[in-house]
Amino acid sequence: MNRTAPSPGPFDPPEAAAQAAARAGGGDPAAVLARLAVKRGVSLGVLAGSRPDEFRIVLAAAAAALPEGRTSTEREVNDALAGWLAGPGSMLAVDHVELRRWLVDTGLVTRDGYGRAYERAAPPPAYALVVEALRAADPARIVEAARAASAIERERRRAEHERRGRAAT
């Protein structure tokens, strides 16, 4: 029986995350984000439990939608995350409030004790490599390109299907 080591959790050290990503063939966060971008109904809870490398990538991309180096109100954070979920993050089956909680719980975003002031935090060790990789690439552009390529491929397959249907009659 072929057994593999369990994937590290979303809070594990970056070395464990990098090793898990390499085992899964998903070492490039941009490629993983592009693959996820064309899906629908992705659950953060499922990703956290069964695909922690993908979970970290999605959360890092969501955190990138928030301004860096400044304090934001809860409303500003909610608006930014709602906008991200309507665009690049639309593959997720989550609302902006749950997403905000995940970001705070993982340490990618900090908030004051009253829940009124939020800041994008320095990434925790488990997220540092992913955040750095996505900083070099624009997550929104990665998602946009993946979805455009997927739409072209769907149209090509549809046209091929119609062509075969006409040829069969």
Side-chain angles (χ1 to χ4, degrees), residues 22-49:
R23 280 194 312 271
D28 178 16
V32 172
L33 183 60
R35 184 175 45 77
L36 289 171
V38 298
K39 296 185 177 209
R40 294 179 188 264
V42 176
S43 165
L44 284 175
V46 170
L47 288 181

Side-chain angles (χ1 to χ4, degrees), residues 14 18 44 46 61 67 76 78-79 83 97 102 108 120-121 123 136 141 147 149:
L44 284 175
V46 170
E76 291 169 330
N78 286 344
D79 290 347
V97 175
W102 278 109
L108 289 165
R120 200 163 122 192
R141 291 183 80 174
R147 289 179 179 159

Side-chain angles (χ1 to χ4, degrees), residues 4-28:
T4 59
S7 294
F11 302 102
D12 288 335
E15 301 79 30
Q19 290 168 357
R23 280 194 312 271
D28 178 16

